[in-house]
């Protein structure tokens, strides 16, 4: 999700139905974060760089609250988590920023 040209985060959801149910809340949250922020020219960073950062982040497994296995990740300028259930990612959430001690894979 980019707001005012600045990347804030991304949400990868398991199905279009789930996406339809949460889209309004996601947009409202990101919009609230953007209030008062200046508009940047273009997208910063570009989407290819965001995906490269997510793909290159170090992961570590963590116990999930319910079914599946949680995988937390952090790398240069990105951090997040993914829940894997029956071999399917549902959801993956990534945010701009860096966790303490994060590094590239």
């Amino acid at each position: 999700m980019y707001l005012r040209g600045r990347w804030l985060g991304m949400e990868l959801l398991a199905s279009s139905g789930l996406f339809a149910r949460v889209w309004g809340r996601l947009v409202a949250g990101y919009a609230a974060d953007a209030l008062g922020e200046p508009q940047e020219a273009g997208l910063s960073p570009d989407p290819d760089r965001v995906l490269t950062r997510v793909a290159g982040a170090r992961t570590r497994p963590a116990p999930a609250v319910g079914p599946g296995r949680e995988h937390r990740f952090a790398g240069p300028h990105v951090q997040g988590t993914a829940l894997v259930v029956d071999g399917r990612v549902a959801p993956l959430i990534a945010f701009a920023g860096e966790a303490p001690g994060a590094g590239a894979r």
Side-chain angles (χ1 to χ4, degrees):
M1 171 75 67
Y2 286 84
L3 284 175
R4 298 187 177 200
R6 184 173 52 97
W7 181 65
L8 299 178
M10 67 185 246
E11 315 268 341
L12 174 72
L13 303 171
S15 71
S16 59
L18 179 58
F19 179 82
R21 286 195 302 272
V22 301
W23 175 243
R25 290 180 296 218
L26 291 174
V27 169
Y30 284 122
D33 286 343
L35 289 174
E37 293 290 323
Q39 176 69 37
E40 293 188 21
L43 300 178
S44 177
D46 68 77
D48 287 337
R49 182 165 290 181
V50 169
L51 293 175
T52 298
R53 288 175 179 173
V54 171
R58 289 180 180 243
T59 63
R60 62 181 172 85
V65 174
R69 184 83 172 158
E70 184 178 341
H71 297 269
R72 297 177 186 162
F73 58 89
H77 311 290
V78 66
Q79 58 183 318
T81 186
L83 179 65
V84 178
V85 180
D86 296 330
R88 189 173 180 190
V89 175
L92 178 141
I93 302 166
F95 295 98
E98 195 162 337
R105 178 168 35 161

